[in-house]
Amino acid sequence: MTTIRKLAKTLALAFSLGCALGAGSSAFAQNDKMSPIAIPAQPDAIVLNTGALPGATVQESWHSQYGSVFARNVTVATLTPFLPDPAKASGAAVIVAPGGGFRTLSMNNEGWDVAKALAAKGVAAFVLKYRLVQTPADMAGFERSMAAMFSGAAKPPVQRDPAVEYAAQIADARAAFALVRARAKGWHVDPDRVGMVGFSAGAMLTLATALHAPDAKPAFIATIYGPLAPVTAPSDAPPLFVALAADDPLFGNGGFGLIDSWRSVKRPVEFHLYEQGGHGFGMYPKTTTSTGWFDDYARWLAMHGYLQAKG
């Protein structure tokens, strides 16, 4: 985890400069311009108790890109429930952490759309809009700041503890787990069957939550196109599902240390390495087999009993 800061910088550049890493079709290319939009109504969003981002001076804003919507400068964390029909609810729940280099959040492709798909399977899903690193309010300034940050990423990475580096985001994840368990009865959720799935930077947050937030205790986790650097896995590490495209320009050539870390302590891990898909494919429909990641994830959940109610 010593290069986690450099990884975050690489992620931020990829997302903020509009590199269509997961959207290779001409339709996506035509929508690659970031266009400011009004903050969407989010009537079901619940404000978490982690407070405002310390020192924040720029307020939350949103933009559209690739036919999706993105949040930026999130200063107050929220959790939005997507609940299944009680008649088909399995009692399992998943906290969904979108990605975006800790500078933006891909709210459709890696948030709401994922949550809706989980709810359709009978799993309660909760989209975590976690607090983000501050960036300039205007789009041009945002792009310039990311370019400047990337130029600094060429320097040797500073070794930092992810528990410190992402303390605010981990606190948001911990609060999300606590809220879901506190309201478990009303949401028809089994507090012992709450997991987490994250995408890119959200995958980094998911892994950091499992490793550095012992009170969160996710029952199972999934990292989708996140880094595969080795970690020190605990002996009781939660079952892990990993999906990555071999042509991912960020993490496709970094080895499989994370998988080995889980196997070294004999904990369950399933790894899907798709031939193609790039980075950020999420719920976008593509012609690559990476589009099938959600079906593979659902089968994995079923294999572990999370799509069925406990008898």
Side-chain angles (χ1 to χ4, degrees):
M1 298 294 280
T2 59
T3 61
I4 197 165
R5 185 172 177 82
K6 187 173 182 180
L7 291 171
K9 289 184 176 182
T10 306
L11 283 166
L13 179 84
F15 282 92
S16 64
L17 295 187
C19 298
L21 300 177
S25 71
S26 59
F28 284 119
Q30 292 170 3
N31 295 317
D32 63 356
K33 180 178 175 57
M34 289 185 285
S35 301
I37 61 172
I39 296 178
Q42 301 159 77
D44 297 326
I46 301 168
V47 174
L48 295 174
N49 64 359
T50 48
L53 183 71
T57 59
V58 183
Q59 296 305 303
E60 182 175 325
S61 63
W62 289 55
H63 64 270
S64 63
Q65 189 181 26
Y66 310 134
S68 186
V69 297
F70 297 77
R72 193 159 59 85
N73 287 318
V74 175
T75 61
V76 176
T78 67
L79 194 69
T80 302
F82 289 77
L83 303 178
D85 181 339
K88 65 183 299 186
S90 70
V94 174
I95 292 169
V96 181
F102 294 101
R103 270 75 178 168
T104 65
L105 292 176
S106 179
M107 295 301 294
N108 271 130
N109 183 47
E110 298 169 356
W112 300 332
D113 291 347
V114 176
K116 291 174 184 175
L118 283 167
K121 295 288 186 181
V123 176
F126 302 84
V127 177
L128 175 61
K129 188 177 73 174
Y130 51 90
R131 292 171 292 172
L132 298 173
V133 175
Q134 291 263 284
T135 58
D138 63 295
M139 282 295 177
F142 174 56
E143 293 187 6
R144 287 194 300 269
S145 73
M146 294 302 103
M149 185 181 65
F150 179 69
S151 66
K155 301 175 183 177
V158 177
Q159 295 187 6
R160 294 176 183 261
D161 181 352
V164 176
E165 183 77 0
Y166 303 120
Q169 292 79 25
I170 293 172
D172 294 340
R174 292 173 60 200
F177 274 95
L179 178 63
V180 170
R181 289 179 175 133
R183 298 195 183 183
K185 185 175 181 180
W187 283 334
H188 304 286
V189 165
D190 182 340
D192 294 326
R193 303 173 79 203
V194 184
M196 187 171 183
V197 59
F199 301 79
S200 197
M204 296 166 69
L205 175 56
T206 297
L207 189 59
T209 301
L211 297 178
H212 301 289
D215 58 325
K217 297 186 182 301
F220 53 95
I221 60 172
T223 66
I224 313 301
Y225 43 82
L228 297 184
V231 300
T232 301
S235 59
D236 60 348
L240 168 65
F241 177 94
V242 176
L244 181 73
D247 63 350
D248 187 310
L250 301 183
F251 305 125
N253 296 300
F256 311 117
L258 177 62
I259 311 305
D260 294 335
S261 298
W262 246 247
R263 288 172 59 86
S264 70
V265 292
K266 297 180 171 55
R267 295 302 296 155
V269 57
E270 178 155 333
F271 178 36
H272 293 259
L273 183 67
Y274 301 104
E275 179 186 342
Q276 299 177 38
H279 187 84
F281 46 82
M283 300 298 281
Y284 289 132
K286 299 187 70 177
T287 58
T288 60
T289 53
S290 62
T291 296
W293 79 266
F294 182 82
D295 292 334
D296 292 332
Y297 176 52
R299 280 190 286 270
W300 181 79
L301 290 174
M303 181 178 72
H304 282 274
Y306 290 116
L307 298 190
Q308 299 82 35
K310 290 176 68 173

